Amino acid sequence: MSSSYGGYRPQSQYAPSAPQQPPYSSYYQTSTSNVPPPSNSPSNYSYSNVSPSGYPSFPPGTPQDVITSFQMVDRDRSGFIDEHELQQALSSGFHRFNLRTIRLLIFLFKNPQQPLAVGPKEFAALWSCLGQWRGIFERYDKDRSGKIDPLELRDALYGIGYAVPGSVLQLLLSKYGDGSGRRVELCFDNFVECGMIIKGLTDKFKEKDTRYTGSATLSYDDFMTMVLPFLVSYN
């Protein structure tokens, strides 16, 4: 199967595969309007740091409010939180996320040993990633409505390296409409979901397009494996 998509800009300063996240100490000292595009890549931290009680430790430099948000919902002290606990934790710092977005975030940040939950390492990376998405959201919410309209979404995605065709955006936005025909506007969690889907699929495509030509040849199995997780993992 031959597929072509010229929608990412590999030579842009905002490469589709976002740069590695900055250290927490520097991230929280800078404005979110200047952060790089968000990345869901695994961090360099491991679970080798465990507290004397056996509870998994957070990455060095993790802000105390992030640690507190995790520990407040981890009531069984297992060191992992499920989708409902993650939803509660994130609502305290960002926004009331719907479960569909939460499930997508768990799919992208899941722990290898606990595929339906996240631990301190994943939670810290997820929190940092959402902080960067918040900065992008606020930067492109030009009318300060608290929502992102189709033109703002197009500009936001282009600004971080994704020149998404209008037909693709229209298809993506259609899932958030209420059937009335009115213009779709995205709140923060739906904006994150759209961005994560575009970024995730583009990164998967780039694995096959190693020369950044905008075209790739892949088998039917590869195509299905690439696309289906973003369709079924969080519905």
Side-chain angles (χ1 to χ4, degrees):
M1 177 180 293
S2 179
S3 178
S4 175
Y5 174 58
Y8 57 83
R9 300 180 292 135
Q11 302 305 319
S12 129
Q13 62 176 323
Y14 295 107
S17 57
Q20 190 171 352
Q21 298 169 21
Y24 284 96
S25 57
S26 62
Y27 172 75
Y28 279 88
Q29 291 170 3
T30 57
S31 168
T32 54
S33 63
N34 296 318
V35 297
S39 170
N40 58 341
S41 302
S43 69
N44 294 326
Y45 303 116
S46 67
Y47 278 105
S48 57
N49 293 325
V50 178
S51 67
S53 63
Y55 194 84
S57 297
F58 279 81
T62 303
Q64 184 57 48
D65 61 331
V66 177
I67 298 174
T68 300
S69 295
F70 182 93
Q71 292 178 340
M72 284 182 64
V73 299
D74 182 23
R75 296 186 179 87
D76 62 0
R77 303 293 292 170
S78 66
F80 296 96
I81 56 176
D82 62 22
E83 60 185 36
H84 295 286
E85 293 168 330
L86 179 60
Q87 182 184 47
Q88 183 181 352
L90 294 181
S91 67
S92 68
F94 289 98
H95 176 86
R96 179 67 178 180
F97 284 80
N98 63 61
L99 277 177
R100 184 178 63 192
T101 307
I102 291 292
R103 288 165 184 161
L104 175 62
L105 292 173
I106 288 180
F107 166 69
L108 294 171
F109 287 87
K110 60 181 177 290
N111 180 278
Q113 283 74 45
Q114 296 283 344
L116 298 179
V118 296
K121 170 188 172 184
E122 295 79 30
F123 183 77
L126 192 160
W127 190 283
S128 176
C129 177
L130 290 179
Q132 296 178 58
W133 279 113
R134 170 60 76 181
I136 296 169
F137 182 91
E138 293 176 351
R139 189 187 316 157
Y140 288 94
D141 178 20
K142 300 295 179 60
D143 58 3
R144 297 295 181 263
S145 65
K147 294 184 177 181
I148 292 288
D149 65 32
L151 290 179
E152 292 169 336
L153 177 63
R154 180 201 65 185
D155 292 345
L157 292 173
Y158 188 85
I160 59 174
Y162 306 102
V164 182
S167 57
V168 175
L169 276 182
Q170 185 176 4
L171 180 62
L172 187 59
L173 287 168
S174 65
K175 68 184 296 184
Y176 303 104
D178 58 8
S180 66
R182 291 179 296 183
R183 184 178 67 169
V184 176
E185 294 182 318
L186 304 178
C187 54
F188 179 58
D189 61 334
N190 290 338
F191 172 72
V192 169
E193 184 178 330
C194 282
M196 289 290 200
I197 290 173
I198 294 295
K199 181 186 185 319
L201 287 175
T202 302
D203 286 350
K204 289 294 184 182
F205 185 88
K206 283 178 58 189
E207 292 176 3
K208 303 297 182 181
D209 179 22
T210 56
R211 296 185 179 182
Y212 289 4
T213 62
S215 298
T217 300
L218 59 158
S219 68
Y220 178 74
D221 287 349
D222 286 343
F223 171 76
M224 297 298 282
T225 302
M226 176 190 300
V227 173
L228 282 180
F230 290 90
L231 301 179
V232 303
S233 64
Y234 55 94
N235 285 327

